[in-house]
Amino acid sequence: MRFHSPLLIVTSVIAQAFAACEPEIPFPPPQYTAESLTRTVDQIDAAISALAASGRFNNTAVSVEVASREQALYSFHRSGLATAETVNGSSAYRIASNTKLFTALGILQAEAAGKLSLDDRITKFISGLSGDASSRIAWEDITLRTLMSHMSGIPDNYAEDDLILSLSDPTVLGLPPIVADKAALPACEGFSNYTQPCSKKDLLQYLQDAQPVFPAKVEPSYSNVGFDLLGQVLANISNTTYEQYIDSTIIRPLNLTGTSFTPPAANGVLVDDSYWGVDLGVGNPSGGLYSTPADMITFLRFALANHNTLTPALNWFQPAAYSSGAHSYLGYPWEIFRSPAILPNSTRTVTINTKGGGLAGYYTYSFVIPGYDIVVFMAAAGDLTVLNELLDVVVDPVIVGAEEVAQMSLNTTYAGTYLAPVHTGLKSSVTISHSMQKSLYVASWTSNSTDVLGALIPLVAAQAGTGENLDLELIPTFEIRADADGRVGEVWRFINVMEGNGGDTETQGNATSIWADYCVSNIDPLSYAGTALNEAVFWKKNETSPVTQIELSAFRVVLERDSLSSPSNC
């Protein structure tokens, strides 16, 4: 039997309790005013004006909308198309695969209403899918959840994107000439020159003989067909059409008056040789909607406000699977991008939930940045190449500007020195400071005459091998408490952000630095007499009043904010 020194055990436990990787967004979402993003808006305007002056919009109609959960923050509309001389927030674009967000929301709402489960097999709702040995696809292994997250392994498209439709001479690609058996090919959509939309019968007939890309739940592979099937599920459970279901449960309740599955009679952004007016039929759930920038911002703001309360089954913004690359993930069906390279003064990771969608002549982008309470919608028609440049000159500056607003708010709201009341006789205090790199952090901490940071540094350093480094940063838990007097308490935790875990280790180029980036989230590792050791509660009179106290829960002390201590400079 091996015996351990009590001191070594305490040292190890305390080190582990305080060690953590850098948190992604260590603050509540900021509140924006008309003036708070002025510099950001001016920067975006200047960049877009430069693109316009260079002729980048000469053959393109473009719309950009930015908003928080509470208010509009920025908009830009411009048309270089002769067919759409005036473009504004009420102009309609084909939003293509952004339709999938509406289909997914419909599924989540139906799950919350008890009409289905995300883990139901697709065969429960569509009897035409065979689960026997005659089918190449193992349909019994495919659930609604795998369809929503592109983890079903079924093909992407079936009545378009076939080179036999576009190559007059396949031998230029080394392909053999083939006399196609028309009976074996769909007679709809691309195979009918888009004069005949595909039906449910066409879809199911194709799927009976379709070859899977992967077995279910093995690897992600984008599938429009998967969302076409989800649309049929919504039609099945509602005894109506998919289009009527989306209209009655999402479009009308959100008052999206410019959104529909048919081309609007007016305000359409028309492009020659495009998909405008093409009826996608059974493909509507994956890409059939027309919508306006104003409507899409309303929809995205609804998603931002309700993503974690739609159903107990999941948080709509969380990833479901890895995607290609080190920083990309697939959601339901968000395309999620996480990067430590966006913020100029920090290596904290920023997560952006995106959804892109394109049909010939049109491309739209939805962005939700939950940590900053921001949504962005972009649409382009005509020459689509300018969209890549708009990403750089709009989305990145918006995030950087929001970060500045958030950090200024943190500094003003929470930073300062907190002291034990004189009548307690305690010599206890804590100073919460602020910087753009660390956000809120503990600059000094005395508990009943004990220098807490001084006591922790050698313990943490000895166990973690990090040198004399202790950076206690504060992160919100978004839990709220109330006391007997009706005061509001915001519950936070402080964690030691270990050196080398800030996202910059990818460039250091050795095995040690690679594994220094390995993180496990545990914000509640240690308690003292039943109370979390790293818990702090900021108390204020009500939700809108200033913070006046900090409670260090495990230390059983409430400290008063010193009115003479001013917030530190950013």
Side-chain angles (χ1 to χ4, degrees):
M1 181 179 294
R2 179 177 296 176
F3 293 91
H4 296 279
S5 162
L7 178 59
L8 289 177
I9 293 173
V10 170
T11 299
S12 174
V13 168
I14 290 179
Q16 293 175 29
F18 283 99
C21 297
E22 189 168 17
E24 178 181 350
I25 301 290
F27 48 71
Q31 297 293 315
Y32 301 97
T33 66
E35 297 78 24
S36 60
L37 289 175
T38 298
R39 186 171 67 175
T40 299
V41 168
D42 290 344
Q43 177 184 347
I44 294 172
D45 272 338
I48 289 180
S49 295
L51 289 175
S54 68
R56 296 296 287 118
F57 301 127
N58 286 355
N59 300 300
T60 308
V62 171
S63 291
V64 177
E65 296 274 358
V66 182
S68 69
R69 188 179 317 194
E70 303 296 335
Q71 61 187 315
L73 298 174
Y74 177 76
S75 66
F76 170 83
H77 306 276
R78 187 183 181 96
S79 176
L81 297 175
T83 51
E85 295 181 2
T86 301
V87 171
N88 54 43
S90 298
S91 299
Y93 295 81
R94 293 218 74 160
I95 66 168
S97 281
N98 269 282
T99 306
K100 291 181 176 68
L101 298 179
F102 289 74
T103 304
L105 177 58
I107 292 289
L108 294 180
Q109 290 176 332
E111 198 279 341
K115 297 178 180 178
L116 54 81
S117 166
L118 297 182
D119 295 315
D120 283 338
R121 292 178 170 89
I122 185 63
T123 52
K124 177 178 179 179
F125 304 97
I126 303 179
S127 57
L129 295 177
S130 172
D132 58 33
S134 66
S135 175
R136 299 180 181 181
I137 297 175
W139 291 107
E140 290 296 328
D141 294 337
I142 295 175
T143 65
L144 307 188
R145 188 186 299 272
T146 58
L147 291 168
M148 283 180 64
S149 59
H150 298 295
M151 286 293 290
S152 67
I154 65 176
D156 183 10
N157 294 303
Y158 65 98
E160 59 179 337
D161 294 341
D162 193 312
L163 291 177
I164 201 169
L165 297 171
S166 57
L167 283 180
S168 58
D169 181 9
T171 62
V172 299
L173 292 182
L175 293 168
I178 290 179
V179 178
D181 180 1
K182 292 186 178 181
L185 295 172
C188 55
E189 205 164 316
F191 291 94
S192 71
N193 198 25
Y194 300 102
T195 60
Q196 178 65 39
C198 292
S199 66
K200 178 182 177 181
K201 179 180 178 181
D202 294 320
L203 174 62
L204 296 182
Q205 181 176 343
Y206 161 77
L207 289 174
Q208 284 300 324
D209 296 320
Q211 180 73 37
V213 182
F214 294 108
K217 306 182 293 297
V218 171
E219 286 287 339
S221 184
Y222 197 90
S223 176
N224 283 291
V225 169
F227 272 77
D228 297 343
L229 292 176
L230 290 173
Q232 293 306 306
V233 171
L234 293 176
N236 179 297
I237 64 171
S238 62
N239 292 317
T240 184
T241 67
Y242 161 79
E243 293 80 6
Q244 289 170 330
Y245 181 89
I246 295 298
D247 184 68
S248 63
T249 61
I250 299 175
I251 293 175
R252 280 189 280 159
L254 293 182
N255 196 30
L256 306 181
T257 57
T259 302
S260 69
F261 287 97
T262 56
N267 299 325
V269 182
L270 304 180
V271 179
D272 293 334
D273 299 321
S274 72
Y275 262 60
W276 188 268
V278 171
D279 182 358
L280 297 187
V282 75
N284 273 339
S286 60
L289 273 176
Y290 300 78
S291 191
T292 67
D295 276 7
M296 286 303 298
I297 280 292
T298 297
F299 177 87
L300 294 174
R301 289 167 73 177
F302 173 83
L304 177 63
N306 297 279
H307 66 278
N308 203 25
T309 58
L310 292 169
T311 168
L314 54 76
N315 177 330
W316 195 20
F317 288 170
Q318 289 297 311
Y322 302 110
S323 187
S324 301
H327 303 288
S328 298
Y329 307 83
L330 286 173
Y332 300 94
W334 301 96
E335 292 130 15
I336 303 170
F337 179 62
R338 305 184 76 231
S339 174
I342 295 176
L343 303 177
N345 298 305
S346 174
T347 55
R348 276 185 289 107
T349 297
V350 176
T351 297
I352 309 172
N353 284 61
T354 79
K355 188 71 196 82
L359 287 169
Y362 299 93
Y363 204 91
T364 55
Y365 258 131
S366 293
F367 302 90
V368 183
I369 308 122
Y372 294 102
D373 204 37
I374 293 283
V375 296
V376 180
F377 180 73
M378 291 184 185
D383 180 2
L384 306 178
T385 58
V386 73
L387 261 180
N388 289 331
E389 294 164 270
L390 284 175
L391 290 179
D392 291 333
V393 303
V394 175
V395 179
D396 291 9
V398 163
I399 293 173
V400 172
E403 165 81 359
E404 292 175 353
V405 174
Q407 296 298 342
M408 289 177 62
S409 176
L410 283 175
N411 191 32
T412 302
T413 306
Y414 303 99
T417 297
Y418 297 78
L419 306 169
V422 175
H423 68 83
T424 64
L426 294 173
K427 292 183 179 179
S428 297
S429 67
V430 65
T431 296
I432 307 298
S433 294
H434 173 269
S435 73
M436 292 296 289
Q437 294 77 20
K438 298 181 182 180
S439 294
L440 293 175
Y441 65 96
V442 180
S444 64
W445 183 2
T446 300
S447 179
N448 201 20
S449 301
T450 298
D451 178 3
V452 178
L453 296 183
L456 286 174
I457 284 175
L459 297 179
V460 174
Q463 180 66 23
T466 59
E468 294 188 0
N469 175 56
L470 188 68
D471 289 326
L472 294 186
E473 296 183 16
L474 281 87
I475 61 171
T477 68
F478 303 102
E479 291 289 330
I480 301 295
R481 293 178 185 167
D483 66 7
D485 297 322
R487 297 187 310 150
V488 173
E490 297 180 9
V491 182
W492 292 58
R493 296 291 182 103
F494 48 82
I495 60 174
N496 181 34
V497 176
M498 302 297 292
E499 185 176 326
N501 287 101
D504 60 342
T505 57
E506 292 175 321
T507 61
Q508 294 179 9
N510 60 71
T512 301
S513 68
I514 291 173
W515 284 102
D517 228 12
Y518 177 72
C519 296
V520 176
S521 295
N522 185 1
I523 310 300
D524 185 35
L526 193 63
S527 61
Y528 177 65
T531 302
L533 184 68
N534 62 343
E535 181 181 275
V537 184
F538 288 104
W539 287 99
K540 48 191 179 180
K541 186 176 181 180
N542 54 54
E543 289 185 359
T544 59
S545 62
V547 171
T548 58
Q549 295 177 325
I550 187 171
E551 178 182 357
L552 303 173
S553 304
F555 292 79
R556 274 66 176 180
V557 65
V558 177
L559 308 178
E560 304 282 347
R561 193 176 190 181
D562 183 6
S563 60
L564 299 179
S565 67
S566 59
S568 60
N569 294 325
C570 292

